[in-house]
Amino acid sequence: MANFLTRAWALRWIKRLFLFVLIAFVCIAGVRLYDAQRKPPLSLWHTYVPEDMHAHEIDHATWEEYIANENRLFDAVKKNVTDKLPADERVPANRYFSGSPIYPGHFRTDWNRSYTLMPQGSPRGVAVLLHGLTDSPYSLRHIAQRYQQDGFAVVGVRLPGHGTVPSGLTEVTAEDWEAATRLAVREARRLVPAPAPLHIVGYSNGGALALQYSLEVLDDPSLPKADRLILLSPMIGITAFARFVGLAALPAILPAFAKAAWLDIVPEFNPFKYNSFPVNGARQSWRVTRKIQQEVADAARNGKLAALPPTLTFQSVLDSTVSTSAIISSLYSQLPANGSELVLIDINRTAQWSPLLRASMRDALHRLSPVPPLRYRLTVLTNASATSPQVVEESTAPNETTAKVEPTGLDYPPDVYSLSHVALPFPVTDSLYGRTPDPNDDVGIQLGAQSVRGETGALIVGTGFLTRLLWNPFYGYIVERIDYLASHGP
C-alpha cells in the first residue's frame, strides 16, 4: 500500500512538472512569436538565399573554383535582389539598390569579395586574413595592405554566407567556415611555399577560426602549419544564451512566422557588413567557440599545445560581443611558454569620464587581469595616470612579476571612454568607419565620422550604433607590432 501511494504521489508530481514545463514553453514561444511579428517585414535580401559552396565542396575545390563560384553568387544577387527591388526599396540608404551611393558594385574595389595581394618582388612570407561574423574581407584590408608593404603575399577569403545578402547566413554552417579557412591556407602555401613564414590573422569570429585551424593542425600534420597567429577581438567565448538561440527560430518552420528566424531585421545601409542578423549565424558561431574550448582543453591535457604557433592577441577590456575573460581562461591560461602575448586595451581613465562609468566597468581591468608570473607576456595599454590622456605600455614578461612601463606616444581621445569589439582593425582614416575618412577612397557613407544630435526616432538606425566606437585610436600600435613580426622571421 505504501509503495502504491509513493508511486501515485510521484506520478502526480511528474504530471505537474510536465504541465509547468509545457506552460512555460507555450509562454516563451508566445513571447517569441509576438516579438518576431513586431519586426519590420522581410525584404528580398532576407528571403533569397544564394547557393554558396559548402564544406564538402570547398575541401575539394581550388582557389580559382571558389572565386568562380563567388562571382556567380554576386551575379545571382544582382539578378534576384538588385534587379527585382520594389520601388519603395530603391532608396539611397539601401546597399542593394544599384542607384545608391553605397552600392558596392560601383566602387573601385568591392571588398565584399575574396582577394589576393602580391608584394613588389619575391614574397618573403604569406598571410591569411579571416574576417568576422556578418562582416566581409573589407574589415582586414588595411592590415592586408600593411602585410603587402612588408613584402608578404596576402590571401583574404570571403567566408561562406558573407558579403552577399544576410540570408546567406541562414543556411551556412561552422564546417563551411572551417573548410574555407583550410582553402585559404592551401592557396597561401601555393603562392608562397614553406619555409617562408605563414601568418594567420583573424578578427572576431575569424580569430576563432584561425585558432581552430591551428588546433586542427595538431592532429593532422598534412595541413600547413602557421608560424604566427595574430588575433583581434577573437571570439573564444560568447554568451551562453547563444547555445539555445536556435530554439528561437523554431516558429520559422511555419511560413507565417518566417521573421522568427531573425534576431535583427535592420535596413542594410552598410556596404560591407550586414546589419540584419539571422539566428543561425549566432548558433554557428557558438558552435565554433564550444569546439575551440573543448579542443584547447584536450590538447592541453594531451601535451600537444606546445606545438601551437606563438599567438599575439589584441583585446579591448570592454567588449559586448565576445568574452574577454574566456580569452584568458579558455586559451591563454592553457598555453605553454611558446612566446605568446596578450595585449589588453584598458578604458580611458581620465577624470572627466569617471563619474559616468559604471563601477563594474571601471574595475574591469583589475577583475580580468591574471596575476603574474605567467607563461606568456601580458601587455596593458592604459593611461599614464588618472588625469593624463597619454597612453603607456605596461608589459610583464613571462615568469616575471613586475611590469616594464614604456610610453607609446599615443593619447586616448577625450571623447572616447573605451574601445569596442568592432573598432580594432580600423584606423582613424578608414573610409567607412574612421573619424577622418580618406577622401580619396569614397564608399558613399561615413559611419565613423558621425556625431549627430536631434530628436529621437528620426533615424533609420538606433542611437547605440552611432555611439559605438568604430575606429581604433591605437591602430598604429597594432600594425607596428605586426610589422615587427613580419620583419623578424617566424
Side-chain angles (χ1 to χ4, degrees):
M1 183 67 177
N3 289 337
F4 174 79
L5 292 176
T6 300
R7 286 196 298 271
W9 179 85
L11 183 61
R12 186 164 56 249
W13 276 103
I14 290 172
K15 290 180 178 178
R16 290 179 179 177
L17 179 61
F18 175 78
L19 286 173
F20 174 79
V21 172
L22 180 63
I23 292 171
F25 176 81
V26 170
C27 290
I28 293 172
V31 170
R32 174 60 185 157
L33 288 173
Y34 174 73
D35 179 66
Q37 294 307 99
R38 293 175 60 209
K39 287 181 168 62
L42 296 175
S43 298
L44 286 172
W45 51 88
H46 300 118
T47 57
Y48 170 71
V49 182
E51 296 182 7
D52 218 326
M53 296 178 76
H54 292 287
H56 65 282
E57 301 168 293
I58 299 171
D59 275 329
H60 295 91
T62 65
W63 181 257
E64 289 74 17
E65 289 169 338
Y66 189 77
I67 296 302
N69 186 75
E70 184 173 276
N71 292 337
R72 288 192 291 270
L73 287 179
F74 283 90
D75 291 343
V77 169
K78 182 178 185 304
K79 177 181 177 181
N80 292 282
V81 178
T82 297
D83 294 347
K84 294 183 177 180
L85 288 178
D88 62 339
E89 291 180 338
R90 297 176 181 266
V91 295
N94 185 356
R95 66 177 277 186
Y96 298 109
F97 171 42
S98 62
S100 167
I102 61 174
Y103 179 65
H106 295 328
F107 298 154
R108 184 168 58 235
T109 300
D110 183 354
W111 291 100
N112 286 301
R113 299 172 181 248
S114 302
Y115 60 83
T116 56
L117 302 177
M118 298 298 291
Q120 293 184 350
S122 299
R124 33 191 208 84
V126 62
V128 171
L129 275 61
L130 305 170
H131 64 78
L133 184 63
T134 75
D135 221 326
S136 71
Y138 178 90
S139 61
L140 290 173
R141 67 167 184 149
H142 296 288
I143 291 176
Q145 291 164 345
R146 194 66 174 237
Y147 265 109
Q148 184 185 31
Q149 294 170 14
D150 287 336
F152 274 55
V154 180
V155 176
V157 63
R158 179 201 60 87
L159 297 170
H162 293 83
T164 53
V165 285
S167 54
L169 290 176
T170 61
E171 295 186 0
V172 76
T173 68
E175 289 76 15
D176 298 338
W177 299 334
E178 293 164 8
T181 300
R182 291 190 291 269
L183 171 64
V185 175
R186 288 200 304 272
E187 175 64 9
R189 271 308 184 208
R190 188 191 69 82
L191 292 173
V192 185
L198 166 63
H199 292 189
I200 302 181
V201 183
Y203 165 49
S204 189
N205 193 53
L209 294 171
L211 178 58
Q212 196 282 322
Y213 173 83
S214 293
L215 291 166
E216 189 177 358
V217 171
L218 300 182
D219 293 322
D220 186 354
S222 68
L223 295 173
K225 180 182 177 181
D227 297 287
R228 290 278 183 181
L229 294 184
I230 295 94
L231 310 180
L232 293 83
S233 305
M235 197 171 283
I236 308 301
I238 53 180
T239 173
F241 169 73
R243 179 176 184 177
F244 305 102
V245 74
L247 298 176
L250 286 179
I253 61 176
L254 302 175
F257 302 111
K259 288 189 285 187
W262 295 83
L263 295 176
D264 291 305
I265 300 174
V266 186
E268 297 298 325
F269 54 83
N270 188 324
F272 297 117
K273 182 179 177 67
Y274 304 149
N275 294 325
S276 301
F277 189 27
V279 168
N280 184 61
R283 173 67 179 171
Q284 298 306 318
S285 189
W286 176 82
R287 290 184 62 222
V288 173
T289 64
R290 292 298 298 168
K291 186 174 183 179
I292 286 173
Q293 292 177 15
Q294 184 61 54
E295 290 185 352
V296 168
D298 291 345
R301 186 167 49 253
N302 297 328
K304 292 183 177 181
L305 280 185
L308 203 67
T311 303
L312 173 60
T313 298
F314 300 93
Q315 175 65 26
S316 174
V317 167
L318 299 191
D319 191 318
S320 65
T321 302
V322 307
S323 169
T324 303
S325 62
I327 295 171
I328 298 170
S329 61
S330 297
L331 176 59
Y332 273 82
S333 67
Q334 310 293 325
L335 291 178
N338 69 342
S340 294
E341 179 177 359
L342 173 61
V343 179
L344 295 177
I345 304 172
D346 195 13
I347 64 172
N348 187 356
R349 296 188 174 276
T350 53
Q352 69 180 84
W353 286 112
S354 295
L356 299 178
L357 284 172
R358 296 175 180 174
S360 60
M361 301 298 102
R362 289 197 301 269
D363 296 338
L365 179 65
H366 175 74
R367 188 176 65 254
L368 292 169
S369 292
V371 178
L374 305 166
R375 291 188 294 272
Y376 56 90
R377 179 179 293 274
L378 176 64
T379 299
V380 177
L381 298 186
T382 189
N383 296 89
S385 71
T387 58
S388 173
Q390 296 178 350
V391 173
V392 296
E393 176 192 74
E394 298 179 353
S395 187
T396 306
N399 300 315
E400 299 289 337
T401 57
T402 303
K404 182 180 180 181
V405 181
E406 296 283 352
T408 64
L410 301 169
D411 287 354
Y412 231 129
D415 58 338
V416 173
Y417 58 84
S418 79
L419 262 68
S420 71
H421 175 79
V422 297
L424 268 69
F426 301 108
V428 67
T429 56
D430 182 79
S431 307
L432 179 61
Y433 299 118
R435 167 172 272 181
T436 55
D438 181 357
N440 297 316
D441 189 22
D442 183 22
V443 293
I445 191 170
Q446 298 173 348
L447 298 175
Q450 306 298 326
S451 181
V452 296
R453 297 290 185 273
E455 188 53 274
T456 59
L459 303 178
I460 64 172
V461 59
T463 56
F465 181 89
L466 296 175
T467 58
R468 197 178 197 188
L469 186 67
L470 302 178
W471 51 274
N472 183 1
F474 311 122
Y475 174 82
Y477 176 88
I478 290 177
V479 294
E480 284 181 7
R481 298 295 307 275
I482 290 175
D483 285 345
Y484 181 85
L485 293 179
S487 302
H488 288 76

